[in-house]
Amino acid sequence: MIQILIVDDEKIERNGIKFLLKQLHMEAEIREAVNGVKALEALEESPADILLTDIKMPFMDGLELAENVMKKYPQTKMVIFSGYGEFEYARKAMKSGVDSYILKPVDPEEFRNTMEKVLQEQRTAAKTSTARIILTLKISPTSRTTAARKAGM
């Protein structure tokens, strides 16, 4: 089950995003946080696969949150929502590791397309990570030592 964290200081906005997520008919555990500080606390308890956050919030804005998440949870996919259409905000968001930037008011079709893209990226990243784990498990310590000796190490 995919883990999603919605971060926005306005409850009506969080409810709107939850409504749009339900329209996608996906299996997800959806959690909420009212600002970036609370979001980091929630992520410490249980990391999220996808973070959906507003850009302008008290205590810690979405850009600062994205920078923190990128450092601590680089596998988390991030989407920022903003009422600010200026290119500078989008540029900063992308430099912070954000995967997508959606303008408010959120267009349901744009939201659906963005989420499909982010979910596909998340699934691909999860498969790659799982493949690495399986490969590591298949190579036993004895096999590694033997292979290293044969390679002259």
Side-chain angles (χ1 to χ4, degrees):
M1 182 177 294
I2 197 144
Q3 304 291 315
I4 299 175
L5 179 61
I6 302 170
V7 188
D8 199 308
D9 58 321
E10 296 182 37
K11 184 152 184 72
I12 193 166
E13 295 290 343
R14 293 193 311 271
N15 288 342
I17 298 302
K18 282 194 300 189
F19 174 79
L20 291 172
L21 286 169
K22 287 178 184 174
Q23 301 304 305
L24 299 176
H25 306 291
M26 57 192 241
E27 286 189 41
E29 179 182 322
I30 301 170
R31 297 179 292 147
E32 300 177 43
V34 297
N35 60 51
V37 173
K38 294 293 184 188
L40 288 177
E41 290 172 6
L43 291 169
E44 286 291 324
E45 289 177 24
S46 177
D49 299 306
I50 299 174
L51 175 75
L52 306 172
T53 183
D54 188 17
I55 202 166
K56 189 158 173 70
M57 299 176 290
F59 308 112
M60 180 187 295
D61 68 22
L63 292 176
E64 187 178 349
L65 173 60
E67 289 170 4
N68 279 287
V69 170
M70 189 64 191
K71 289 176 192 169
K72 293 182 178 181
Y73 311 97
Q75 75 285 358
T76 299
K77 297 295 178 188
M78 294 181 280
V79 177
I80 281 192
F81 297 96
S82 176
Y84 300 97
E86 291 95 17
F87 176 74
E88 188 61 23
Y89 278 103
R91 188 183 68 76
K92 285 181 182 177
M94 296 306 173
K95 283 181 88 174
S96 299
V98 170
D99 296 282
S100 245
Y101 187 93
I102 298 178
L103 287 175
K104 289 181 181 178
V106 177
D107 173 61
E109 186 68 19
E110 181 183 5
F111 180 82
R112 185 180 61 73
N113 292 338
T114 298
M115 287 304 296
E116 285 175 359
K117 177 182 146 260
V118 169
L119 285 165
Q120 183 58 43
E121 290 171 359
Q122 195 277 332
R123 284 185 200 111
T124 301
K127 284 179 186 174
T128 302
S129 178
T130 301
R132 283 190 210 125
I133 291 167
I134 290 169
L135 180 61
T136 302
L137 291 175
K138 284 185 177 180
I139 302 174
S140 70
T142 308
S143 298
R144 280 189 232 134
T145 304
T146 304
R149 277 193 213 126
K150 287 180 181 177
M153 299 178 143

